[in-house]
Amino acid sequence: MSDEYLWDRSGPRDPEVARLEELLHPLAQKELPPLSVPTYHDKPGVPLQRVLAAAAMVAIVIGGWWLFDRSRSKPPGWEVIRLEQTPTASRRVTGRSELAVGGWLETNDQETVIIKVADIGNVNVEPRTRVRLIATRTGDHRLQLARGTLHATILAPPGQFFVETASSTVVDLGCAYTLTIDDEGAGLVTVTLGWVGFEWGGRESFIPAGFADPTRPGVGPGTPYHIDSSPSFRRALETIDFRSGSPDVSAALTLVLAESRERDEVTLWHLLTRVPAGERDRVFDRLAHFVPPPAGVTREDIRAGRRDLLDQWWDALGLGTSSWWRTWKQPWQDNSPRR
């Protein structure tokens, strides 16, 4: 069969083509005029084969650039270094890989892992831990901790690194901390350097080095306490934070106030908004014993939960201005995933 017939039906017709035409004739479009295709073979110097070859080359170039652009814009992953315990109690590297955005990493009973958090720090992942890389871009690096324990050391401006859990978001404020989450989503963050923000559903904690804070699903962060606090002090805070409405809350608060010392100013300040309004006067008096409220901060305002006056009292603790926390809080709240 000649090319002429395929283009303008002027050449001899192949029997097989004729059979196909008769078979498809009932489906032919009646309303539109026949398609007019240029007869490139009639133009000297422009054979059909060259036209098709040029079109194929253009398609290859465009497709190659599209693939290159997609690979260039793909979010980078984080380097993963796997370590395994040896009989001599040292660690040896057993493998290196990359944790891609959206990917999960799970450690077995014997290994630990070092994750390079872009260029701002490291996360050491303990055995029997499961984490996922949610996002990594300038100013917003996020992990999800499903269960287990990690140790984060971040050397970056505040509000760049986040760890999402089932009960809270941990916001790094330039620090080092340990975070543990169990299978039900309950957990504990312990800060060893700098500050950490802990937030869930508008409930927040501001945790300095030397303090720890528990978290529970459906409630969020509890009240921060000094790591040297007694077990009874911690249990009383758990009653206040996670057994709201219990008749034991008042007795638990009595124990906390009796055991509190000057180092517990952070705990007392948080309790001003954690206890029922009718109990806030007791907390007001105990905190005022260590740090008098600034002029204009009254117990009536604290009882009413005035955030601006609470911040003024925080500033009086000598731990840094609350405006610093509020400044860094807004960007990560805007970027955090909706629950």
Side-chain angles (χ1 to χ4, degrees):
M1 179 182 64
S2 66
D3 290 342
E4 286 81 0
Y5 184 81
L6 290 178
W7 286 110
D8 55 14
R9 305 171 66 88
S10 61
R13 185 169 63 162
D14 185 274
E16 182 63 22
V17 172
R19 188 186 68 82
L20 290 174
E21 286 181 335
E22 293 174 1
L23 180 64
L24 298 174
H25 179 72
L27 302 177
Q29 175 61 262
K30 301 298 193 301
E31 290 78 8
L32 296 178
L35 180 65
S36 175
V37 180
T39 56
Y40 290 103
H41 60 281
D42 289 338
K43 298 182 179 180
V46 191
L48 176 62
Q49 290 84 352
R50 291 187 182 181
V51 174
L52 296 177
M57 182 61 69
V58 171
I60 291 172
V61 170
I62 293 175
W65 173 253
W66 179 79
L67 291 173
F68 170 76
D69 189 60
R70 280 178 59 86
S71 64
R72 184 177 60 175
S73 61
K74 179 184 178 182
W78 290 353
E79 182 184 5
V80 173
I81 303 171
R82 292 184 179 271
L83 306 173
E84 191 172 65
Q85 187 80 37
T86 68
T88 60
S90 63
R91 299 280 183 182
R92 64 184 180 88
V93 176
T94 60
R96 295 175 182 268
S97 59
E98 181 179 87
L99 180 60
V101 174
W104 286 95
L105 180 149
E106 189 164 0
T107 55
N108 61 34
D109 293 347
Q110 302 296 324
E111 68 177 349
T112 59
V113 164
I114 299 174
I115 301 176
K116 301 286 188 179
V117 182
D119 58 354
I120 65 172
N122 296 330
V123 170
N124 288 17
V125 181
E126 289 194 0
R128 299 179 296 279
T129 298
R130 191 166 189 254
V131 297
R132 179 171 70 99
L133 177 55
I134 298 176
T136 179
R137 56 181 179 269
T138 302
D140 186 14
H141 304 283
R142 293 178 183 268
L143 276 178
Q144 176 186 352
L145 176 60
R147 70 168 185 273
T149 299
L150 59 79
H151 310 275
T153 302
I154 305 298
L155 301 175
Q160 305 250 339
F161 177 65
F162 312 83
V163 179
E164 303 280 349
T165 76
S167 56
S168 290
T169 297
V170 184
V171 187
D172 170 82
L173 300 174
C175 64
Y177 64 88
T178 296
L179 175 64
T180 298
I181 296 292
D182 65 18
D183 290 335
E184 283 70 44
L188 180 74
V189 63
T190 304
V191 183
T192 54
L193 179 68
W195 295 82
V196 159
F198 222 8
E199 188 275 340
W200 187 85
R203 183 180 173 103
E204 62 187 21
S205 292
F206 192 26
I207 314 162
F211 279 72
D213 196 2
T215 181
R216 298 290 183 273
V219 179
T223 301
Y225 57 80
H226 196 276
I227 57 175
D228 291 334
S229 299
S230 69
S232 60
F233 189 93
R234 301 180 191 187
R235 287 194 297 269
L237 286 177
E238 286 193 8
T239 297
I240 295 169
D241 291 327
F242 307 123
R243 295 175 58 193
S244 177
S246 167
D248 299 330
V249 168
S250 183
L253 179 60
T254 297
L255 187 151
V256 168
L257 297 178
E259 289 195 12
S260 61
R261 301 293 181 263
E262 189 170 356
R263 71 182 185 190
D264 300 312
E265 297 159 351
V266 171
T267 299
L268 295 172
W269 181 86
H270 281 82
L271 282 175
L272 289 171
T273 56
R274 301 290 168 84
V275 299
E279 299 278 14
R280 291 176 186 175
D281 283 357
R282 299 170 63 194
V283 181
F284 183 101
D285 292 337
R286 189 57 176 166
L287 180 56
H289 176 75
F290 300 119
V291 182
V297 177
T298 68
R299 66 177 65 247
E300 290 77 18
D301 291 327
I302 296 301
R303 196 185 303 138
R306 284 277 302 274
R307 173 56 63 185
D308 56 335
L309 299 182
L310 284 163
D311 285 353
Q312 287 185 34
W313 206 346
W314 174 272
D315 295 346
L317 301 183
L319 299 173
T321 174
S322 59
S323 63
W324 178 78
W325 164 241
R326 302 298 173 197
T327 298
W328 289 109
K329 172 186 170 186
Q330 190 59 46
W332 63 255
Q333 273 199 332
D334 292 343
N335 292 331
S336 62
R338 297 186 182 276
R339 298 182 185 277

